[in-house]
Amino acid sequence: MTDWTDPDAFAAALERAETKEKGNCFEDFAEGETVEHDPGLVLSRRGSELWAGQTLNYDPTYWRPSVAEARGYDAVPVHPDYLLACVMGASVGDLSEKGGYFLGRDDLRYHRPGVAPGTELRVESVVESKAESSSRPAYGIVTWETTGYDAATGDPLLSYTRTNMIPRREPIAADGEGANAGDSEDEEAERADADLPDELLAPEGGHFEDFREALARADGRDAAVAYRHERGRTIDDTTVAQLPLATLNTAKQHHNADAMADSPSGEIVAYGDVTRSIALGHARSDEQTLREVSCDDERFHDFVTVGDTVYGFTHVLDANDGDARNAGEVTFEHVAFNQRDEPVYSGTRTALVRKRA
Ligand SMILES: C/C(=C\C(=O)O)C(=O)SCCNC(=O)CCNC(=O)[C@H](O)C(C)(C)COP(=O)(O)OP(=O)(O)OC[C@H]1O[C@@H](n2cnc3c(N)ncnc32)[C@H](O)[C@@H]1OP(=O)(O)O
């Protein structure tokens, strides 16, 4: 009888055995195809508190019943970043588990404010487009539109389009060699001599009026309203693996150091939405946020690995006094950066920000 655990026999068995694959390659996606994601979870207060606590998102609306009720909710809602991670997590097995990196996201929209714990999620994606990567022959680029629904009512809760690098079964011939392969010295010099305004101004406080006043101060001068946030968060075991796994995100990039040793990053990397949520947490800690409205042009620029520290930088783009009596709409550009001051994430975000009482 074969002793399967004999080291030589077992090595030979491993060599011969087929691997039952998980996930899909670039070639497996067809434009226009709808993918119903089987995983899905019931949103929980515990999950929301774990996500928001570890990413330094401490708005009391998402923690304290008395504050949630004063702000018009029946009960403490789940944090919007946790809701986003749960929608994306359920989609990963079908869309990106194979191993491509998350490049960016557009058109993130929150369709219902204050989603309650206990809501069962149903998640669906449509393959929007596929493109070849000219610089990385082992990968293609796929964009999907994903929507998370309340499974009981069918109401959409949140939707976005996201783009990933996705491994190909068959690499193609390529004309570039990865990062900045074709840049001339002139292009490099241009990057070093970036065209920044003379003055960067910070708002006095975090209310709507503070952002509006700071924009008025900058108006007509060579100035922008832009500032950094003091807090940093070092990526550890909890943030790199526990948070994505708690939202059913099976991407090996975040928890399989062995598989990642032989990949462009060479090691496990933080889930992009953990990096993003930490940067937004830093920004929200200096802001009187009432409610999230939307995010656009979200991009992931570089890997974040265990031991890296994520900081936040905010550039205020616009402040509009809309219909709400107690809040106005502010649009920000946020940048997450590491301990070497290198940007790792950027995106624009619109939120309703409370007015001074
Ligand atoms: C897996 C996961 C979640 C999940 O899924 O479960 C995650 O959370 S993982 C963590 C978050 N993530 C990262 O840590 C990646 C950070 N990133 C980088 O470290 C570098 O980006 C790179 C090393 C990956 C590549 O670097 P690079 O080789 O220098 O190439 P880039 O130019 O950046 O992009 C290559 C090609 O993608 C095109 N491209 C880029 N962005 C977009 C976009 N938004 N839409 C359409 N096309 C785009 C680009 O146009 C180029 O196309 P071509 O090959 O045709 O030129």
Side-chain angles (χ1 to χ4, degrees):
M1 271 238 301
T2 310
D3 175 4
W4 288 87
T5 59
D6 171 79
D8 290 335
F10 188 60
L14 279 185
E15 224 166 77
R16 275 174 230 167
E18 181 189 326
T19 301
K20 289 285 189 194
E21 290 193 32
K22 284 264 182 285
N24 289 300
C25 288
F26 177 73
E27 291 85 345
D28 300 327
F29 295 105
E31 283 180 14
E33 175 194 9
T34 299
V35 187
E36 275 280 347
H37 306 297
D38 201 28
L41 45 68
V42 175
L43 298 169
S44 72
R45 184 149 175 204
R46 193 192 139 272
S48 176
E49 289 183 347
L50 174 68
W51 185 285
Q54 290 298 328
T55 57
L56 286 83
N57 278 283
Y58 298 151
D59 180 338
T61 312
Y62 304 103
W63 296 87
R64 292 170 54 199
S66 61
V67 177
E69 278 161 33
R71 293 183 185 165
Y73 300 114
D74 295 338
V76 173
V78 298
H79 194 280
D81 292 356
Y82 165 70
L83 171 66
L84 171 60
C86 291
V87 171
M88 176 136 158
S91 77
V92 167
D94 293 323
L95 305 187
S96 51
E97 178 164 349
K98 206 71 192 166
Y101 298 98
F102 183 11
L103 294 173
R105 181 170 48 220
D106 291 282
D107 302 323
L108 168 60
R109 296 293 177 270
Y110 303 92
H111 301 294
R112 189 204 286 171
V115 177
T119 304
E120 182 182 330
L121 276 186
R122 181 175 73 74
V123 182
E124 183 183 280
S125 299
V126 177
V127 182
E128 199 176 89
S129 62
K130 291 175 64 174
E132 313 218 310
S133 166
S134 54
S135 60
R136 290 183 177 263
Y139 295 86
I141 296 160
V142 186
T143 300
W144 309 273
E145 182 177 4
T146 297
T147 307
Y149 298 91
D150 179 331
T153 64
D155 293 338
L157 302 175
L158 176 152
S159 59
Y160 57 81
T161 57
R162 85 157 149 133
T163 301
N164 276 56
M165 272 167 50
I166 294 294
R168 305 179 68 104
R169 284 189 206 289
E170 300 295 336
I172 49 158
D175 50 6
E177 280 183 27
N180 304 328
D183 289 358
S184 66
E185 278 176 27
D186 282 355
E187 281 167 323
E188 278 168 26
E190 211 171 284
R191 273 201 298 274
D193 186 22
D195 187 18
L196 278 180
D198 268 356
E199 283 177 280
L200 298 186
L201 309 175
E204 296 278 315
H207 288 98
F208 173 73
E209 294 88 339
D210 296 307
F211 294 109
R212 199 178 45 191
E213 282 161 17
L215 286 170
R217 262 192 290 143
D219 196 30
R221 290 157 57 177
D222 188 14
V225 181
Y227 47 101
R228 54 193 289 177
H229 307 281
E230 184 175 354
R231 287 179 180 161
R233 171 72 161 102
T234 302
I235 298 297
D236 56 12
D237 271 356
T238 299
T239 39
V240 83
Q242 190 184 344
L243 290 190
L245 288 173
T247 57
L248 313 186
N249 182 327
T250 52
K252 60 167 86 73
Q253 289 91 329
H254 317 310
H255 62 259
N256 185 338
D258 179 38
M260 294 307 290
D262 186 27
S263 72
S265 55
E267 58 185 307
I268 58 174
V269 298
Y271 169 31
D273 276 330
V274 167
T275 303
R276 162 197 188 268
S277 200
I278 292 170
L280 299 196
H282 296 334
R284 290 168 183 142
S285 74
D286 291 324
E287 174 194 313
Q288 297 293 325
T289 327
L290 177 68
R291 165 151 90 70
E292 298 296 313
V293 177
S294 60
C295 290
D296 288 282
D297 302 320
E298 295 188 278
R299 300 290 177 268
F300 297 95
H301 303 281
D302 211 339
F303 302 125
V304 175
T305 57
V306 173
D308 281 347
T309 301
V310 178
Y311 294 98
F313 177 94
T314 293
H315 176 197
V316 182
L317 301 177
D318 205 0
N320 272 317
D321 206 348
D323 302 334
R325 213 169 20 87
N326 58 344
E329 208 171 73
V330 183
T331 300
F332 305 94
E333 178 181 9
H334 299 294
V335 180
F337 62 96
N338 64 20
Q339 66 281 9
R340 292 179 297 279
D341 292 351
E342 296 158 342
V344 292
Y345 157 88
S346 64
T348 61
R349 162 176 165 262
T350 298
L352 283 181
V353 176
R354 279 193 291 281
K355 292 183 179 168
R356 287 186 206 122

